Amino acid sequence: MDFFNTADSLAPMYLTYSGLIRHDEREELPYQMYMPVVDHTVGGKSIYDVLTRGREMIGTLLMERVMDHEDLPEPEETLPEGDADEMPTFINVELDRFKHLIAPKETLIRPMSALKQPKQLLAHVYDFQPVFITEEGIGRYVIVSMKDYDMFQNTIGMVLDKQDIVDALDD
């Protein structure tokens, strides 16, 4: 069975794990979530933020286990017991969102007509996996994830800042 082919994969589509969320207004990131399945804590500015970050961390670590040919932890069905100031929660991890981290990279080039089926097209856009769009056989556009776009913008900003520093030193 092929882990990358959803139809043939032995891996479940979703796995559910537990976490404990704590709030401390004095912290820079006031929300903290401990995830026993990976024995890690993530911080965030909101409950949504820590759930998103926790899901990303668990998904990434699960893909590392797949790469190392290790078994995935069993999904959890009961909430952990925490202290009075901790809120127990479940975190659903959609494995298909993380398969791109370990899938062989390929250049995806699609014609402009692929935009007529946006969901199918966007299903191929992942972090570090853009989709190139052609118009009359000539590459014209690139669809990238927001994470990649932000990374590109930050990189451009750093390059421009560096050039400003070089220019200032030359003066």
Side-chain angles (χ1 to χ4, degrees):
M1 299 285 166
D2 182 10
F3 183 79
F4 298 106
N5 183 348
T6 305
D8 292 338
S9 179
L10 291 175
M13 193 181 245
Y14 289 93
L15 292 173
T16 302
Y17 297 105
S18 64
L20 291 168
I21 298 175
R22 176 179 279 168
H23 181 260
D24 186 348
E25 200 59 50
R26 297 170 293 179
E27 296 288 329
E28 182 179 336
L29 296 174
Y31 291 89
Q32 303 288 317
M33 181 171 62
Y34 173 69
M35 299 158 297
V37 69
V38 292
D39 194 27
H40 277 74
T41 299
V42 294
K45 295 183 180 193
S46 67
I47 290 175
Y48 176 80
D49 194 20
V50 293
L51 287 171
T52 301
R53 290 174 185 222
R55 185 175 294 115
E56 294 291 321
M57 176 177 278
I58 292 172
T60 302
L61 293 174
L62 291 179
M63 290 302 108
E64 285 181 9
R65 287 188 178 190
V66 169
M67 286 174 39
D68 294 339
H69 304 287
E70 296 176 11
D71 291 333
L72 297 179
E74 290 293 320
E76 298 171 349
E77 296 178 0
T78 58
L79 286 171
E81 291 186 26
D83 295 335
D85 64 340
E86 295 177 318
M87 178 180 77
T89 188
F90 283 119
I91 307 142
N92 292 321
V93 179
E94 183 182 5
L95 289 181
D96 282 348
R97 282 199 61 238
F98 299 95
K99 288 181 180 178
H100 72 280
L101 296 172
I102 60 174
K105 301 290 185 223
E106 61 182 82
T107 301
L108 297 174
I109 302 171
R110 300 289 185 260
M112 183 74 76
S113 60
L115 294 171
K116 292 178 184 175
Q117 299 174 333
K119 286 188 177 188
Q120 289 179 346
L121 180 68
L122 294 176
H124 297 285
V125 177
Y126 300 111
D127 296 340
F128 306 110
Q129 180 68 61
V131 174
F132 299 90
I133 304 294
T134 63
E135 188 174 44
E136 297 177 9
I138 299 171
R140 297 274 188 221
Y141 309 99
V142 179
I143 301 174
V144 298
S145 69
M146 285 301 293
K147 196 174 203 177
D148 283 357
Y149 178 79
D150 290 341
M151 179 184 64
F152 297 147
Q153 292 296 350
N154 289 336
T155 302
I156 290 168
M158 287 188 298
V159 169
L160 293 176
D161 289 346
K162 184 177 179 181
Q163 188 60 47
D164 288 345
I165 292 169
V166 169
D167 291 346
L169 292 174
D170 288 343
D171 289 341

